């Protein structure tokens, strides 16, 4: 067991840094608390927590589907299980018709049972016997982008197929297009084609991508100081000149934030490119949505900046080279900038978010979260060089960063 006093000191120091608003201190505090918990949890308890994790997902899923969390959020403090039951759409069997002869008890069962893990996880508060109150996390959990739920329905399903898939097939860390992956084994095809063909999940995924902004306290155009690096005097001002192309930009929420931040003070068009099903019918003032498949030549030539957020990590180097190659060919040497926002991992001591997202990329796509060395190799292979890595926080833990590149 690690030295408890040392772990407590780390928590204390990190809490003080966070209180002072030190950049990256929040993540450091979370890591410190996790390390403290690891230090006092026995091996059997650790494994049990991991084993029980899916049941929490199930409770959240039931809570969202039946509307338990929505009722709670709408009613405000001190909502009883009976009040929740009166408003949710439960069918008798689901709530355990055969278990209790008492109708009231039957109605209470589902909320009471699912609210136990939910309140233990801090997603709502238990304020009395079968009485609950919503908290900040409840409001977050019921958002359009969180409900839906790609995580439970697709991610957990895919994760649980990994063992059977490995027994039936060879496992390839970086599979080629004709090799099976956990996600194609589970869904019958890669993730993005599946999302395009299944609008319920496609919309849920896009909503989640937008909603996750709330868990992202940094803004990429501040981390990469856009006002300073894209100076007015160096921007083309012709009518057609393009300032920013957000490639694989989803429905355009990050470019919308960029646009609202700069309020038209930087000249040039703002373009969001994504698959047809994603950009179809979307209209945001001041932004052009363009249907574009990034495996084809980039149609927008000589833009000031091409921005890829959370795209490159979806793909292995072989595929990423094709995507980047298409955009690098459209860049104007000496003018265009390539901006890639993704995690940059250290060789040792990768933080919790980056370490897990890396596995998500392996299971759900064919991708990887890259170290600085791996980024350098990939980027050099497509004819650009890194000018600077602008990091959100302490790069030594592996944080999101904006990698600024120029064409060589
Ligand atoms: C992980 S999401 C990132 C979205 C957005 N950049 C963000 O960070 O919120 C990857 C995006 O790539 C898009 N995408 C996948 N395949 C594509 C393709 N062949 N051409 C263009 N966009 C694609 C997806 O539709 C999705 O919006």
């Amino acid at each position: 067991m690690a030295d408890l006093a040392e772990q407590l000191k780390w928590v204390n120091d990190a809490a003080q840094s966070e209180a002072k608003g030190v950049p990256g201190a929040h993540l450091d505090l979370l890591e410190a608390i996790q390390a403290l918990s690891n230090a006092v949890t026995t091996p059997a308890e650790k494994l049990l927590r991991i084993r029980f994790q899916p049941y929490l997902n199930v409770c959240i899923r039931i809570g969202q589907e039946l509307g338990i969390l929505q009722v709670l959020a709408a009613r405000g403090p001190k909502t009883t299980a009976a009040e929740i039951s009166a408003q949710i759409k439960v069918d008798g069997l689901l709530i355990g018709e055969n278990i209790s002869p008492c109708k009231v008890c039957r109605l209470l069962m589902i909320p009471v049972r699912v609210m136990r893990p939910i309140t233990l996880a801090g997603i709502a508060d238990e304020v009395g016997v079968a009485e609950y109150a919503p908290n900040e996390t409840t409001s977050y959990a019921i958002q359009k982008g969180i409900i839906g739920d790609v995580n439970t329905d697709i991610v957990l399903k895919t994760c649980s197929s990994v063992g059977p898939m490995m027994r039936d097939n060879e496992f390839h860390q970086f599979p080629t297009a004709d090799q099976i992956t956990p996600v194609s084994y589970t869904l019958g095809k890669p993730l993005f084609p599946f999302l395009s063909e299944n609008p319920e999940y496609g919309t849920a995924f896009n909503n989640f991508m937008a909603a996750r902004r709330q868990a992202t306290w940094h803004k990429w155009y501040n981390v990469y100081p856009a006002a300073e690096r894209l100076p007015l005097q160096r921007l083309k001002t012709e009518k057609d000149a393009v300032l920013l192309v957000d490639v694989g930009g989803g429905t355009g929420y990050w470019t919308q934030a960029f646009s609202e931040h700069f309020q038209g003070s930087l000249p040039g068009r703002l373009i969001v490119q994504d698959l047809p099903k994603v950009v179809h019918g979307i209209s945001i003032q001041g932004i052009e949505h363009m249907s574009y498949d990034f495996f084809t030549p980039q149609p927008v030539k000589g833009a000031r900046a091409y921005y890829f957020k959370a795209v490159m990590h979806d793909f292995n180097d072989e595929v990423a080279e094709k995507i980047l190659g298409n955009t690098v060919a459209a860049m104007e040497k000496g003018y265009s900038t390539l901006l890639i926002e993704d995690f940059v991992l250290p060789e040792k001591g990768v933080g919790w978010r980056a370490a897990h997202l890396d596995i998500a990329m392996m299971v759900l796509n064919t991708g990887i979260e890259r170290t600085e060395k791996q980024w350098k190799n990939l980027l050099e292979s497509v004819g650009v060089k890194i000018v600077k890595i602008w990091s959100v926080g302490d790069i030594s833990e592996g944080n999101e960063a904006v990698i600024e590149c120029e064409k060589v």
Side-chain angles (χ1 to χ4, degrees):
M1 198 177 275
D3 180 354
L4 212 52
E6 220 173 88
Q7 303 290 355
L8 281 165
K9 182 175 177 322
W10 181 13
V11 173
N12 197 28
D13 292 350
Q16 286 184 22
S17 299
E18 177 165 44
K20 285 185 206 145
V22 175
H26 179 70
L27 281 184
D28 189 41
L29 178 59
L30 291 179
E31 301 272 339
I33 292 167
Q34 183 61 52
L36 176 65
S37 167
N38 286 348
V40 295
T41 311
T42 66
E45 287 163 346
K46 269 181 207 151
L47 269 292
L48 207 57
R49 265 190 192 274
I50 295 166
R51 222 184 166 82
F52 282 0
Q53 171 64 36
Y55 304 120
L56 172 60
N57 287 75
V58 168
C59 289
I60 297 170
R61 192 77 180 98
I62 293 175
Q64 289 173 336
E65 277 290 304
L66 290 180
I68 293 176
L69 293 177
Q70 291 89 326
V71 170
L72 193 57
R75 290 188 64 96
K78 230 174 175 212
T79 300
T80 63
E83 285 163 341
I84 295 173
S85 294
Q87 289 196 31
I88 59 177
K89 338 147 247 170
V90 275
D91 96 356
L93 277 179
L94 183 61
I95 59 168
E97 200 140 82
N98 300 325
I99 302 173
S100 165
C102 156
K103 187 160 183 268
V104 175
C105 297
R106 287 200 316 260
L107 283 170
L108 292 181
M109 285 186 64
I110 268 285
V112 168
R113 292 173 72 191
V114 300
M115 286 309 286
R116 290 178 190 137
I118 284 178
T119 51
L120 280 166
I123 295 162
D125 300 325
E126 187 179 38
V127 291
V129 177
E131 280 178 353
Y132 311 98
N135 61 28
E136 255 186 325
T137 312
T138 322
S139 334
Y140 186 68
I142 60 163
Q143 285 186 107
K144 214 164 74 171
I146 309 297
I147 291 175
D149 177 323
V150 173
N151 189 50
T152 311
D153 299 1
I154 295 180
V155 177
L156 287 191
K157 193 171 170 189
T158 303
C159 290
S160 60
S161 309
V162 167
M165 189 216 91
M166 288 177 79
R167 279 197 295 273
D168 295 350
N169 303 273
E170 281 178 38
F171 182 75
H172 298 278
Q173 190 188 177
F174 300 122
T176 53
D178 56 339
Q179 285 168 339
I180 199 112
T181 66
V183 85
S184 61
Y185 181 85
T186 311
L187 305 176
K189 52 186 50 125
L191 181 64
F192 290 115
F194 174 87
L195 293 175
S196 281
E197 288 167 31
N198 291 274
E200 182 204 341
Y201 289 118
T203 305
F205 179 84
N206 296 332
N207 288 341
F208 170 69
M209 285 290 121
R212 85 193 199 289
R213 268 178 311 169
Q214 287 178 32
T216 312
W217 59 96
H218 69 273
K219 305 277 185 290
W220 72 267
Y221 40 82
N222 292 334
V223 173
Y224 162 80
E228 180 193 308
R229 303 297 288 176
L230 304 173
L232 213 46
Q233 64 277 22
R234 286 206 53 225
L235 293 175
K236 291 185 178 166
T237 51
E238 297 87 359
K239 197 166 144 283
D240 280 354
V242 177
L243 172 63
L244 178 73
V245 187
D246 183 355
V247 192
T251 51
Y253 29 84
W254 284 111
T255 297
Q256 183 178 12
F258 177 92
S259 169
E260 285 165 3
H261 182 76
F262 286 103
Q263 298 273 332
S265 60
L266 298 177
R269 293 157 61 199
L270 303 176
I271 299 175
V272 174
Q273 297 177 326
D274 209 295
L275 293 168
K277 288 259 168 64
V278 178
V279 292
H280 177 75
I282 306 247
S283 164
I284 300 174
Q285 207 198 344
I287 297 172
E288 297 166 48
H289 284 79
M290 182 184 285
S291 161
Y292 165 60
D293 175 354
F294 50 46
F295 292 107
T296 61
Q298 170 59 263
V300 182
K301 315 283 183 209
R304 180 64 183 90
Y306 295 88
Y307 169 65
F308 288 84
K309 177 180 170 68
V311 172
M312 286 306 129
H313 73 166
D314 288 336
F315 302 99
N316 62 44
D317 279 7
E318 198 189 331
V319 183
E321 276 168 22
K322 288 189 187 131
I323 299 169
L324 285 173
N326 285 324
T327 281
V328 174
M331 287 171 69
E332 183 182 317
K333 195 172 167 191
Y335 181 70
S336 301
T337 297
L338 173 65
L339 301 172
I340 295 180
E341 185 176 10
D342 256 317
F343 282 85
V344 177
L345 309 189
E347 300 295 334
K348 178 177 175 291
V350 174
W352 177 86
R353 286 191 317 155
H356 288 83
L357 203 56
D358 179 48
I359 304 305
M361 292 309 115
M362 183 172 77
V363 173
L364 299 174
N365 290 305
T366 59
I368 179 171
E369 300 297 343
R370 294 174 170 86
T371 62
E372 188 169 342
K373 210 191 296 171
Q374 288 167 330
W375 277 117
K376 195 164 175 283
N377 289 344
L378 170 64
L379 291 164
E380 282 177 5
S381 76
V382 295
V384 293
K385 77 166 191 224
I386 297 177
V387 176
K388 181 162 176 164
I389 297 179
W390 303 86
S391 177
V392 168
D394 182 0
I395 201 83
S396 72
E397 283 193 2
N399 270 311
E400 275 164 304
V402 180
I403 309 172
E404 178 187 5
C405 311
E406 65 185 18
K407 194 167 177 171
V408 288

